[in-house]
Amino acid sequence: MSTRSSTPGRQRGLSRRRIVALAHEIIAREGVEALSMRRLAREVGTTPMALYHHVRDKDELLALVMEAVAEDLPRPPLPEDPRERLVAVCELMREAFLQHPWVVAILARGRLVGPSAVWMTEEILGSLVACGMTVEEAFTAHRTIWNFTAGDVMVTAALRTEPEDRSPTHFVESQVARQGAETLPHLGALVGRSRELEARYTYRAGLEQVLDGVLPRR
Amino acid sequence: MSTRSSTPGRQRGLSRRRIVALAHEIIAREGVEALSMRRLAREVGTTPMALYHHVRDKDELLALVMEAVAEDLPRPPLPEDPRERLVAVCELMREAFLQHPWVVAILARGRLVGPSAVWMTEEILGSLVACGMTVEEAFTAHRTIWNFTAGDVMVTAALRTEPEDRSPTHFVESQVARQGAETLPHLGALVGRSRELEARYTYRAGLEQVLDGVLPRR
DNA sequence: ACCTGAACACCGTTCAAGT
DNA sequence: ACCTGAACACCGTTCAAGT
């Protein structure tokens, strides 16, 4: 990592590291949509085209930022019990995504998770096998757990950034008001409580239920 | 719907309907990222600004297209048995999203599902209650099912649009090749079979497992 | 090898003006 | 009421040229 610069002197020229670090900073402060090659160039003090000498295109830059984020992820000791370990890794994974919600959008566009994050996949597969599954079953179970987690992150991130500013009354209430409680009896029964119930929902509880369905019966 | 134009003569002027229909067409043919106000104006034969007389902004236009899609959704008769009904609605929902994968990205940005699609939510809640849950439990279970479904659509859509063109060897294979089978024993055990296993995964099977965990024990 | 300048082909949206 | 033209403040990227 620090092979040639023993002096703490600021590295003035461009470099992949500096570009990726600043890109990360912009994204962290203002979201992915705020990152543009031109803006990044301005902030780093060059022309847009200088950047293209260090990264192939914007897509590669985003992948590099993702990888940098994954490298900094904490890797605390995990519980011995396989199911507890499973839950712990999944919660770490969800936490990581919620701290960097833009990653989900990139993953959704077909990117694959980078080398620095595979240990999570390995850990999940390992825990599933330790719960009594074959590797093949574990592969399938992993996909189900990942689907659930990705969806939860998507929904939770959306709820956080959009504090009802376009629907002052909540979804349930406005739909029931529009269509009447006769056609929507069950939604109707939730009027007034949906917000509270939604706030009470936890990833952990949902995950436990998913695991109840996925893991072999004890 | 057809109140004033009994003649089949083409409606020449602009109108919300025409704008929304053409926007939908562009998205269907080339994806959301192909839709721009300027492109739409060109194709409809006006200036970009003429559009703003019929829709507030691009966001509203997208919401209108979403609503138009929801209106055209099939609503076939559903099974009597509550669990079967649940599965049927969820599969309809998933099918609908896979046919219009761009909707997921918009929903992810905080948009709420429009009036023409609420019947699905109502049907899911109703089936859950018919399975023996309270409305409150049904609300929570709905969120878990929705998380799973949204995630599955995201992953499936990504796999379809990106037929490995940036990773000729599959994820598992390339990661194991890079990091070695000692650090990734379980991923290592899947080398050569991941592609096939992935192709074998079905939403239906995953959903059944999720339901096993979510529904009250029979 | 690394960087610059000008250009190409785009964006969403505002604002003042026309009929 | 409905539409136009010009403008503002942006994009990602290519290409030829400079040091």
Side-chain angles (χ1 to χ4, degrees):
Chain A
M1 279 279 151
S2 58
T3 24
R4 18 180 277 257
S5 71
S6 49
T7 43
R10 294 279 151 266
Q11 184 178 354
R12 250 269 305 112
L14 275 185
S15 75
R16 242 168 127 96
R17 270 184 73 272
R18 231 172 50 102
I19 291 170
V20 171
L22 189 50
H24 185 8
E25 229 179 281
I26 293 174
I27 291 174
R29 280 201 314 260
E30 302 173 45
V32 231
E33 63 287 343
L35 181 72
S36 75
M37 299 303 272
R38 296 176 110 108
R39 157 91 185 270
L40 181 57
R42 214 183 308 131
E43 219 143 310
V44 90
T46 22
T47 52
M49 286 322 296
L51 301 175
Y52 285 87
H53 225 267
H54 299 90
V55 296
R56 199 173 359 83
D57 54 18
K58 197 185 175 181
D59 246 46
E60 191 189 57
L61 176 59
L62 284 171
L64 290 170
V65 178
M66 251 173 71
E67 188 50 22
V69 166
E71 271 168 25
D72 289 342
L73 249 35
R75 197 172 168 176
L78 298 166
E80 279 293 305
D81 177 78
R83 173 154 177 162
E84 282 174 34
R85 194 157 79 247
L86 195 48
V87 172
V89 184
C90 288
E91 288 203 296
L92 278 176
M93 191 165 72
R94 185 186 105 113
E95 252 340 294
F97 279 122
L98 277 180
Q99 237 121 50
H100 314 278
W102 53 277
V103 173
V104 183
I106 295 171
L107 254 32
R109 285 171 47 215
R111 276 256 163 238
L112 299 171
V113 64
S116 298
V118 254
W119 67 267
M120 290 188 172
T121 310
E122 174 63 24
E123 207 70 68
I124 290 172
L125 289 175
S127 304
L128 288 166
V129 168
C131 284
M133 298 183 125
T134 66
V135 249
E136 290 83 2
E137 288 167 339
F139 183 89
T140 303
H142 170 266
R143 168 74 125 91
T144 298
I145 293 167
W146 167 243
N147 282 352
F148 170 72
T149 305
D152 183 79
V153 170
M154 208 178 85
V155 174
T156 307
L159 286 172
R160 285 191 189 173
T161 51
E162 209 82 46
E164 316 302 307
D165 75 65
R166 52 185 122 200
S167 65
T169 30
H170 196 66
F171 167 71
V172 173
E173 284 72 18
S174 60
Q175 292 303 330
V176 171
R178 190 190 305 247
Q179 301 191 31
E182 319 83 56
T183 39
L184 303 173
H186 299 93
L187 275 166
L190 289 165
V191 166
R193 278 177 303 162
S194 63
R195 206 186 216 107
E196 183 210 339
L197 286 168
E198 188 171 86
R200 244 209 271 293
Y201 184 85
T202 65
Y203 170 75
R204 172 65 180 264
L207 177 64
E208 294 282 5
Q209 287 189 306
V210 170
L211 293 181
D212 285 341
V214 155
L215 293 177
R217 295 268 170 280
R218 311 153 189 249
Chain B
M1 281 278 152
S2 58
T3 23
R4 17 180 277 257
S5 70
S6 49
T7 43
R10 297 277 151 267
Q11 184 175 355
R12 251 265 308 110
L14 275 185
S15 74
R16 243 168 126 96
R17 270 183 75 272
R18 227 167 58 97
I19 291 170
V20 171
L22 188 50
H24 185 6
E25 231 180 279
I26 293 175
I27 291 175
R29 279 203 314 260
E30 302 173 46
V32 232
E33 64 287 345
L35 181 72
S36 75
M37 298 305 271
R38 296 176 110 108
R39 157 91 185 271
L40 181 58
R42 213 184 307 130
E43 218 143 308
V44 88
T46 22
T47 52
M49 287 321 297
L51 302 175
Y52 285 88
H53 224 267
H54 299 89
V55 296
R56 204 180 348 90
D57 53 19
K58 198 186 175 181
D59 245 46
E60 191 189 59
L61 175 58
L62 284 171
L64 289 169
V65 177
M66 253 174 70
E67 188 49 23
V69 166
E71 270 168 26
D72 289 342
L73 249 34
R75 195 173 170 175
L78 298 167
E80 279 293 305
D81 177 78
R83 175 156 175 160
E84 282 173 35
R85 194 158 77 247
L86 195 48
V87 171
V89 183
C90 288
E91 288 203 297
L92 278 175
M93 192 165 71
R94 186 185 104 113
E95 251 342 291
F97 279 122
L98 277 181
Q99 237 121 50
H100 313 277
W102 53 277
V103 174
V104 183
I106 295 172
L107 253 33
R109 285 172 46 215
R111 275 259 162 236
L112 300 170
V113 61
S116 298
V118 254
W119 65 267
M120 289 190 172
T121 310
E122 174 64 24
E123 207 71 68
I124 290 172
L125 289 175
S127 304
L128 289 166
V129 168
C131 284
M133 298 184 125
T134 65
V135 248
E136 289 84 2
E137 287 168 340
F139 183 89
T140 304
H142 170 267
R143 167 73 126 92
T144 298
I145 293 168
W146 166 244
N147 283 351
F148 170 71
T149 304
D152 183 79
V153 170
M154 210 177 82
V155 174
T156 307
L159 287 173
R160 286 192 189 173
T161 51
E162 208 83 45
E164 316 302 303
D165 75 65
R166 52 184 125 199
S167 65
T169 30
H170 196 68
F171 168 70
V172 173
E173 283 72 18
S174 60
Q175 292 303 329
V176 172
R178 190 191 304 246
Q179 302 190 30
E182 320 83 54
T183 40
L184 304 173
H186 299 93
L187 275 166
L190 290 165
V191 165
R193 276 177 303 160
S194 64
R195 207 187 215 104
E196 183 210 340
L197 286 169
E198 188 171 87
R200 244 210 271 292
Y201 185 85
T202 64
Y203 169 74
R204 173 62 181 265
L207 177 63
E208 294 281 5
Q209 287 189 306
V210 170
L211 294 182
D212 284 342
V214 155
L215 294 177
R217 295 269 170 280
R218 312 153 188 251

